Each structure stands twice: as C-alpha cells, then as structure tokens.
Amino acid sequence: MNMISEVKKIEEEAKQLEKSYDEKLLEMDRNADSRISEMRENIESDLEVFQMTEKQSREKKLDEMRASLLAETNQEKENLHNLFRNKKNELVDIVIEEVMKQYGNS
C-alpha cells in the first residue's frame, strides 16, 4: 500500500505541475499580448510624432521657398521698373535730340 500511495502522490504532483505549467503559459500569453499592445501603441505614438515633425519640416521649407520666390519676384519687378525708366529716359532724350535737329537750337 505504500507503493500505491507513492504513485498517487507522484500523480498528484504531476497534476499540480501540469496545472502550474498551464497557468504560467497563460500568464506568459497575457504578458506577451500586453507587451505587444504596449509596443504597438509606442510605435503609433512615435509614428505620429515623426509625421508631425516631417510635416513641420516640409512646411518650413515651403515657407522658406515662398519667401525666397517672393523676394526674387520683387527684385525682378524692381529691375524691370528700372529698365523701363531708363529706356523711357533714353526715348525722351532721343526725341529731344531729333526735335532739336529738326527745329534747330533756337
């Protein structure tokens, strides 16, 4: 009978080990799921920050390009106005010179 009780004791220990193993396995699955969810949230958060940073960077570059283009356009306008005034003055001088040739210097 001693042998039977020993076998029963071993069987009980085996059942306890199996139960403990199943519980630990379940706990590991829950922990893994929790860690995966946490990692997913971190990745999504990091991605949002990255996208916002990239958007701000693009907007800054666009603003700089707009400002540069505006300055360049304004400079071109000023150059064209100056050229127009110079040509206008040249035309006036030529007209005066021609009038002087035609009607004399009197």
Side-chain angles (χ1 to χ4, degrees):
M1 189 143 138
N2 196 9
M3 187 69 122
I4 294 175
S5 63
E6 285 293 320
V7 170
K8 285 186 179 187
K9 183 179 175 186
I10 292 172
E11 285 178 347
E12 187 61 35
E13 287 176 4
K15 286 180 184 178
Q16 290 296 330
L17 282 173
E18 184 178 12
K19 184 179 177 183
S20 175
Y21 171 79
D22 289 342
E23 288 174 357
K24 285 185 181 184
L25 192 58
L26 186 60
E27 182 181 337
M28 288 174 59
D29 283 346
R30 284 190 205 131
N31 287 341
D33 289 343
S34 175
R35 289 187 66 203
I36 288 170
S37 293
E38 183 180 329
M39 290 169 69
R40 184 174 285 131
E41 288 173 9
N42 288 341
I43 288 171
E44 288 174 5
S45 175
D46 290 347
L47 182 59
E48 285 179 31
V49 169
F50 174 76
Q51 287 173 334
M52 184 64 74
T53 302
E54 285 299 305
K55 182 179 178 184
Q56 289 172 346
S57 176
R58 284 192 308 269
E59 287 176 0
K60 182 180 177 185
K61 286 179 184 177
L62 279 172
D63 288 343
E64 290 171 357
M65 291 173 75
R66 284 185 190 115
S68 175
L69 184 59
L70 182 61
E72 200 174 303
T73 302
N74 288 338
Q75 183 62 46
E76 284 294 319
K77 282 182 184 178
E78 185 63 31
N79 291 344
L80 287 173
H81 285 297
N82 289 338
L83 183 61
F84 175 77
R85 277 186 288 240
N86 290 340
K87 293 296 180 182
K88 181 180 173 186
N89 289 339
E90 282 181 36
L91 180 60
V92 168
D93 290 345
I94 290 171
V95 168
I96 290 173
E97 188 178 310
E98 287 299 316
V99 167
M100 294 295 279
K101 280 184 190 175
Q102 292 247 341
Y103 298 105
N105 209 4
S106 15

